[in-house]
Amino acid sequence: WGECISGALHWSTLHSLAKEVGFTKPYLVTCSPINIDREDFKQVLGDAKFCSATYRLFKLPVDYKKVSGGKVIYNGEIPGHEDSFQFDHKTELRTGDTVCLSGEVLTVLGGCRLREEFEFDPGVKEVCCVKVGEGVDPFLVIEEKEQRGEKIEAACCGPKTGCC
């Protein structure tokens, strides 16, 4: 399979498959619409809509410890992400800033290969934590961005590449 329409997978199927094989829930990082410009594709696809979505999936060690919400500081040492690290579409961790996160996200960050890039203080008792949505529909994220007037670039498919 390739990218674009030939490799299309419904977002909820991805969530189910990830859980089935032992990954955490997928965290949506980016999404953008895929415009269908070719008439022959439009005839076959009808009103179907497609988007390109990038997710982060984590497979935690068997012996990981689930933590409660708390604070984390990103150190800025991931190459290409020196100023900030975009964990998901709603959670940006700026270098040196203290951010309150849910126990779920702290558990993921503390149990993955990126753990050395963060300073953790999970013992915080405050209710300050960022909640990460369950099963985020990328089409709804695109709609929300459009409603806020954000400019959304279409995914790589289109007239320039001639694939869709």
Side-chain angles (χ1 to χ4, degrees), residues 44 53 62 86 92 103 105 118:
V44 172
V62 176
Q86 190 75 36
E92 180 180 22
V105 175
F118 300 92

Side-chain angles (χ1 to χ4, degrees), residues 56 74 76-86 92 95 117:
R56 289 190 197 285
Y74 171 55
E77 294 180 5
I78 298 174
H81 303 277
E82 290 80 7
D83 296 328
S84 66
F85 173 69
Q86 190 75 36
E92 180 180 22
T95 302
E117 313 302 336

